[in-house]
Amino acid sequence: MKLIVFGATGRTGPHLVHQALERGHQVTAVARDPSRISLEHEALTTVKADVTSVEALRPLLYGQDAVLSALGARRNREAGIVAQASRAVVSAMKESGTRRILVVSAAPVGPSPKGEKFAIRFLLTPLVRLAFAPQYANLAEMEEELAASGLDWTVVRPPRLLDGPGTGTYRSALGSNVPNGTSITRADLARALLDMLTNDATVGQVVGVAQ
């Protein structure tokens, strides 16, 4: 497949790019500074683009089979970028004819699932939601944008993201967060996104993932 990855120089994006190439996909990695992408591969194209500009994104999306977005804000004051970029991506996708999009959101955006432990539901999750409220509000706005887009979207909600090598396994829950799932490695999150690419059951769905 021909895939375009947004957020390619973040902390999850490089895993997406690397694993997509390993699976034999052709990848276009979009970044504000492509020089930060050190990976070289015959099936990889790096592009500099403003992810909030429909005009800049439209030509990049023609001929792509799917969009993978690992865009995220590092700090609360940068939170607005995600929804702003998603609006531009959705508009450019509609104009270019690309329909499949998978995006990374966050578990605290959604309600606590059934079976969640008391400490997680009533102590940990509320504290995390309070600390990162601007970012989660922006992610919720992104999710609403996708739900109303008419595209073949999937929203993936992980809990706390960890660096380091992947385990090769993860749990997932269609339509809800994973009960008592408190973390997942970024490598395993990338694996989950790529696994969902051709899984029709995830289209138009929120999917929780966790270790």
Side-chain angles (χ1 to χ4, degrees):
M1 296 178 70
K2 293 183 178 180
L3 308 179
I4 185 165
V5 177
F6 294 104
T9 56
R11 297 173 70 183
T12 299
H15 293 286
L16 274 174
V17 172
H18 178 72
Q19 291 184 33
L21 291 169
E22 282 191 328
R23 296 190 186 202
H25 298 298
Q26 295 182 37
V27 179
T28 298
V30 180
R32 284 178 292 184
D33 181 7
S35 66
R36 293 175 56 196
I37 301 174
S38 58
L39 180 63
E40 294 184 1
H41 194 283
E42 61 183 9
L44 173 64
T45 301
T46 60
V47 178
K48 179 179 181 179
D50 178 359
V51 295
T52 65
S53 168
V54 177
E55 290 72 23
L57 298 180
R58 188 189 304 113
L60 301 179
L61 286 164
Y62 279 110
Q64 299 289 347
D65 295 310
V67 172
L68 296 168
S69 176
L71 291 169
R74 293 178 181 271
R75 305 169 186 84
N76 283 337
R77 65 174 179 270
E78 301 170 355
I81 185 64
V82 180
Q84 188 178 0
S86 69
R87 283 191 291 270
V89 170
V90 165
S91 294
M93 287 179 68
K94 289 180 178 179
E95 295 179 20
S96 67
T98 301
R99 293 197 51 79
R100 188 73 172 109
I101 178 170
L102 299 93
V103 302
V104 176
S105 184
V109 175
S112 296
K114 293 181 179 179
E116 193 94 282
K117 293 179 180 177
F118 180 91
I120 297 175
R121 180 189 290 266
F122 296 106
L123 297 177
L124 178 61
T125 299
L127 287 173
V128 172
R129 284 176 177 152
L130 181 63
F132 301 102
Q135 295 186 46
Y136 296 143
N138 197 240
L139 289 173
E141 188 178 344
M142 174 194 70
E143 292 189 12
E144 291 173 2
E145 179 79 29
L146 287 173
S149 69
L151 298 173
D152 298 332
W153 58 271
T154 300
V155 168
V156 181
R157 289 180 181 161
R160 184 167 64 100
L161 296 174
L162 305 177
D163 294 317
T167 66
T169 62
Y170 60 88
R171 294 182 292 151
S172 63
L174 197 64
S176 75
N177 289 335
V178 176
N180 305 312
T182 57
S183 66
I184 187 172
T185 67
R186 296 177 189 277
D188 289 318
L189 172 59
R191 178 187 296 272
L193 283 159
L194 291 167
D195 287 348
M196 294 178 204
L197 260 178
T198 55
N199 184 349
D200 291 342
T202 67
V203 174
Q205 295 284 343
V206 170
V207 184
V209 294
Q211 227 72 66

